[in-house]
Amino acid sequence: MALGFVVLVTVFVVCIALVGTCTACLDRATVDRTAAEFDHRLFEIAPYLGITALFFLAKRATHGHSLRISRTLDWDLTAAIYGIEGEFVASLQAFVPQATLEFFSVMYMFGFPYLLVTAPILYFLLPSQRHLKELLIAYLLNYLIGTLCYTLFIVYGPRNHLASVDGLMYSFYPQTQEMTAAVSANTNVFPSLHTSLAVVVFLFAWRSRSDYPRWFPIASFVAGCVVFSTMYLGIHWAIDVLAGIALAIVSVLGADRLVDRAEGDSDRVPVSDDRETGIASETND
């Protein structure tokens, strides 16, 4: 019952935030054009949606096997990570005012899915689907590499390894633990996929800032809060976060190359003379 309630609240909050973002970032002409070209755009990105969907179905089907392989290998890096960074997360929790707990819990629980859902919808609304294709492949690469790391390495987060670190969100909002446990094992820590995927959305927001100037500051703020929350809430080590940032950069660069090989310049939108000269066309559609 608690799991269903948390999922329902998450969907509701993300939908409200999505509508607010679209209201701030889009105009009527963009929405109308998307509606007119909906079938064409959906057909264009269908192969990428299909590949992504197949991967996640396979990931879900092999989740149990991955955990068994991980336990069999038993390559536990927790002590090594603690030996490198020590009590950093504990010091962070002691330094940050506890009054911020609710804010960062909201960012972790709701800000993260908000970023993952909002970015592809915004890019689907662009005339070119290039950003969306690359974003979907970047998501896939994140989970592919992340799943491989989670299979090879066992790492327990600071809240599970250190008595000096409190699992703040789970202590104050225990119902959220049921949702996170449903989608991830407590050894799925290195690298931080919350960090890597949030940074991926941030990087795409930076690359598309000329198309969506308002989306860039929104995505930057939420992504930054999500990354910080993973440490402050005692879920990830700082090393997990650094590894997540590196994974995000690799995934974005890899997605760019893979889509470039598949598509070439076929779906790049050329800059029109009107945009180059700043002269608006007098032709009305």
Side-chain angles (χ1 to χ4, degrees):
M1 183 66 178
L3 176 60
F5 176 75
V6 173
V7 171
L8 184 62
V9 171
T10 301
V11 171
F12 176 77
V13 172
V14 169
C15 286
I16 293 298
L18 172 62
V19 170
T21 303
C22 289
T23 301
C25 297
L26 302 175
D27 55 31
R28 181 61 183 272
T30 300
V31 176
D32 290 344
R33 183 172 182 175
T34 300
E37 300 176 356
F38 183 85
D39 291 344
H40 171 73
R41 296 186 188 185
L42 189 60
F43 180 79
E44 185 179 347
I45 65 167
Y48 294 87
L49 291 174
I51 292 171
T52 304
L54 285 174
F55 169 79
F56 282 108
L57 287 173
K59 179 180 179 296
R60 183 66 181 174
T62 58
H63 179 65
H65 297 292
S66 176
L67 288 176
R68 285 190 288 273
I69 293 172
S70 183
R71 295 190 186 107
T72 301
L73 293 174
D74 197 26
W75 292 344
D76 193 332
L77 301 183
T78 310
I81 289 176
Y82 173 67
I84 294 172
E85 74 171 69
E87 301 280 337
F88 174 79
V89 174
S91 300
L92 187 67
Q93 287 190 342
F95 176 77
V96 178
Q98 194 168 4
T100 63
L101 170 59
E102 186 169 354
F103 172 77
F104 286 114
S105 296
V106 166
M107 284 293 143
Y108 184 86
M109 287 299 300
F110 304 135
F112 177 67
Y114 158 76
L115 290 173
L116 294 190
V117 170
T118 303
I121 290 176
L122 287 177
Y123 296 138
F124 181 75
L125 290 162
L126 288 175
S128 169
Q129 298 302 292
R130 188 70 173 223
H131 282 312
L132 179 54
K133 293 173 183 177
E134 292 178 355
L135 180 68
L136 291 174
I137 297 301
Y139 281 179
L140 190 152
L141 290 174
N142 265 269
Y143 277 106
L144 179 63
I145 298 172
T147 300
L148 178 61
C149 290
Y150 292 163
T151 301
L152 292 176
F153 308 120
I154 292 175
V155 179
Y156 292 94
R159 68 185 176 87
N160 297 123
H161 187 69
L162 299 176
S164 56
V165 173
D166 187 3
L168 293 174
M169 182 176 68
Y170 299 139
S171 298
F172 286 87
Y173 307 103
Q175 61 272 32
T176 61
Q177 190 164 12
E178 190 173 348
M179 180 175 177
T180 56
V183 298
S184 179
N186 63 356
T187 56
N188 291 356
V189 172
F190 177 85
S192 167
L193 286 186
H194 265 67
T195 294
S196 65
L197 289 162
V199 173
V200 162
V201 174
F202 161 76
L203 293 173
F204 273 91
W206 179 78
R207 294 173 69 179
S208 62
R209 64 194 183 282
S210 60
D211 297 299
Y212 292 127
R214 294 179 180 176
W215 168 236
F216 176 60
I218 294 171
S220 300
F221 176 75
V222 177
C225 291
V226 169
V227 172
F228 182 82
S229 71
T230 64
M231 294 181 290
Y232 171 59
L233 298 175
I235 299 169
H236 285 285
W237 305 90
I239 289 176
D240 303 331
V241 169
L242 292 176
I245 293 172
L247 174 56
I249 295 171
V250 169
S251 297
V252 170
L253 294 175
D256 182 68
R257 292 201 173 187
L258 288 172
V259 175
D260 197 51
R261 284 189 177 186
E263 304 285 342
D265 293 328
S266 62
D267 64 344
R268 292 190 186 275
V269 177
V271 178
S272 66
D273 292 338
D274 290 346
R275 288 183 61 182
E276 290 178 349
T277 60
I279 301 174
S281 173
E282 295 180 359
T283 303
N284 294 323
D285 293 334

